[in-house]
Amino acid sequence: MIRKEEVYCIGRLGKAHGVKGEVTFHFDDDVFDRTDADFLILETEGILVPFFIEEYRFRSDSTALMKFEGVDTQERARQLTGCDVYFPRQLAETDDDSLSWAQIIGFAMVDAATGQTVGSIASVDDSTENVLFCLEDGRLIPAAEELIVAVDTEKRVIDIELPEGILEL
């Protein structure tokens, strides 16, 4: 059984494309193209299930048409519409300098000055020039490189030098 801690969300499936089982895949991280992965993990009815990739082709820098093995009809592809797509952490690159924003979701954020855990990263808002870590409690922390002291992918921790007074906002 695949556990949520073993994977991270890289996108969501859109609508079926054509009649041969292709589905639109809207992704935040192209790790499936950069690594040697044969499968992606879909969340169907609350269960994480591996689906083997038959082929895919990019439509844009954030969309691909995906064909999974065993999904050969438009009707079957429609059943996958809206499924969240995950990638196994163990297959992702573990170089701390090349982590994607999607890979750090769920990491603990620790104040480098005090060693105290500030919270867990729920999402990353990169819709503007100033990228923000969105913590589970709703607080926003700047994701500026100069503030990040260390990243430990094994422990899933980011040590950050917090701007003075940011936690009181």
Side-chain angles (χ1 to χ4, degrees):
M1 182 166 194
I2 301 169
R3 297 187 329 254
K4 280 258 183 152
E5 306 83 56
E6 298 170 344
V7 297
Y8 68 98
C9 189
I10 62 169
R12 179 175 279 234
L13 294 181
K15 62 184 181 175
H17 180 82
V19 295
K20 301 204 182 213
E22 281 187 316
V23 65
T24 306
F25 175 33
H26 305 283
F27 56 89
D28 301 319
D29 187 337
D30 66 351
V31 66
F32 64 94
D33 188 51
R34 293 182 280 119
T35 60
D36 218 7
D38 296 329
F39 64 94
L40 294 174
I41 298 167
L42 305 184
E43 185 171 19
T44 60
E45 299 177 12
I47 300 170
L48 297 173
V49 179
F51 278 74
F52 286 87
I53 301 168
E54 191 171 303
E55 64 182 6
Y56 63 90
R57 65 186 188 275
F58 290 100
R59 293 190 78 188
S60 72
D61 61 349
S62 63
T63 305
L65 293 177
M66 186 69 63
K67 175 74 174 75
F68 294 108
E69 289 180 11
V71 179
D72 297 322
T73 65
Q74 185 180 44
E75 181 57 37
R76 180 65 180 116
R78 278 190 190 131
Q79 293 172 350
L80 300 176
T81 297
C83 286
D84 286 332
V85 180
Y86 294 85
F87 195 79
R89 289 186 186 277
Q90 70 181 20
L91 295 180
E93 298 171 6
T94 56
D95 178 11
D96 293 346
D97 294 332
S98 66
L99 288 173
S100 70
W101 292 129
Q103 282 177 276
I104 63 169
I105 304 300
F107 276 38
M109 181 171 289
V110 173
D111 183 348
T114 65
Q116 298 285 80
T117 300
V118 176
S120 180
I121 299 172
S123 64
V124 177
D125 181 353
D126 62 351
S127 61
T128 64
E129 194 171 323
N130 297 319
V131 179
L132 299 168
F133 292 123
C134 306
L135 302 183
E136 287 180 337
D137 63 5
R139 291 184 288 181
L140 302 174
I141 307 292
E145 274 188 53
E146 58 271 10
L147 298 178
I148 298 172
V149 176
V151 178
D152 186 333
T153 54
E154 286 187 31
K155 293 182 181 176
R156 298 179 42 135
V157 171
I158 294 178
D159 292 327
I160 190 162
E161 201 173 283
L162 294 171
E164 192 171 322
I166 194 136
L167 296 179
E168 285 77 44
L169 294 177

